[in-house]
Amino acid sequence: MSVTTTPTTAIAPSVTTTEPTWSRPAVSGAPVVSVVSATSGAPAPGAVPGDAKDSAADDATGSTAGHRTRPRHRPRPVALRAAWFAAALFWTAFAVLEGVNHGWLAGGMALLFAVAPDLTMLAAIGDPTPTVRGQLPPRAVPYYNLAHRAAVPLGLAVLYTLAAPKEWAPLFAALCGWLAHISYDRAFGYGPRTKEGFQRD
């Protein structure tokens, strides 16, 4: 009796390998998004240095790699700045006229109040908050903004004109000097600050 032996072939188990998604090349034409690590600030694998999205985020937050920087300041329109400069010349002429007509006290008050609004920055003395160039310490911001609101001296000037029981030229000269200071600031692009101490747009 003959025995026929049929050879058996071992079937290897099928193994499916999955390629990690992070190693796949970017598809042509697909946008590449830069991902920045929250802890180290370093770009993740596959990130593109100098990505526009990262730059926009840095500009919006005013920080790059954890350092505080001054946010971008948009210049005011030329026509508006020209109008403020014309107002500055008007109030300067008015202050000088008050000094000439009413003596040294009126002239001195006009000169004092022409520089007094910036003295509010002295309120920041002793403020431990670290600042960058162009930033006013937050402690001084409320006083600085109040002293640089044109409505304050203008309202006082109207009140003085309409309701003052007795005319006192040095007071009116001081208000003219104050308004001249604010107008010059606006003409050269300065004005009230944000609560962080930066120039407002």
Side-chain angles (χ1 to χ4, degrees):
M1 181 176 78
S2 62
V3 180
T4 304
T5 305
T6 303
T8 59
T9 303
I11 301 174
S14 175
V15 179
T16 303
T17 60
T18 303
E19 181 185 3
T21 57
W22 57 265
S23 63
R24 292 178 181 173
V27 180
S28 177
V32 179
V33 179
S34 175
V35 181
V36 180
S37 171
T39 56
S40 64
V48 179
D51 184 61
K53 187 172 182 179
D54 293 338
S55 300
D58 291 340
D59 291 342
T61 58
S63 62
T64 303
H67 298 289
R68 301 180 67 191
T69 58
R70 181 177 179 177
R72 293 182 178 180
H73 177 63
R74 293 177 297 178
R76 292 179 173 85
V78 175
L80 181 59
R81 294 177 68 168
W84 277 113
F85 189 72
L89 295 178
F90 171 80
W91 291 113
T92 300
F94 217 143
V96 171
L97 184 63
E98 288 294 302
V100 170
N101 291 339
H102 301 284
W104 66 269
L105 182 57
M109 290 288 286
L111 184 60
L112 175 63
F113 273 76
V115 299
D118 283 345
L119 297 180
T120 54
M121 291 187 289
L122 296 177
I125 294 177
D127 190 340
T129 306
T131 58
V132 297
R133 184 177 181 181
Q135 181 185 12
L136 184 67
R139 180 188 292 177
V141 169
Y143 308 101
Y144 182 90
N145 284 350
L146 182 63
H148 286 80
R149 294 284 186 186
V152 177
L154 189 59
L156 292 174
V158 172
L159 186 64
Y160 167 82
T161 303
L162 299 178
K166 184 178 180 181
E167 181 179 348
W168 191 51
L171 176 59
F172 188 73
L175 295 175
C176 291
W178 189 355
L179 283 165
H181 175 102
I182 294 173
S183 299
Y184 279 119
D185 272 2
R186 297 293 200 282
F188 290 104
Y190 301 101
R193 305 294 186 106
T194 63
K195 63 180 181 179
E196 292 82 13
F198 293 105
Q199 284 291 337
R200 291 181 181 174
D201 289 334

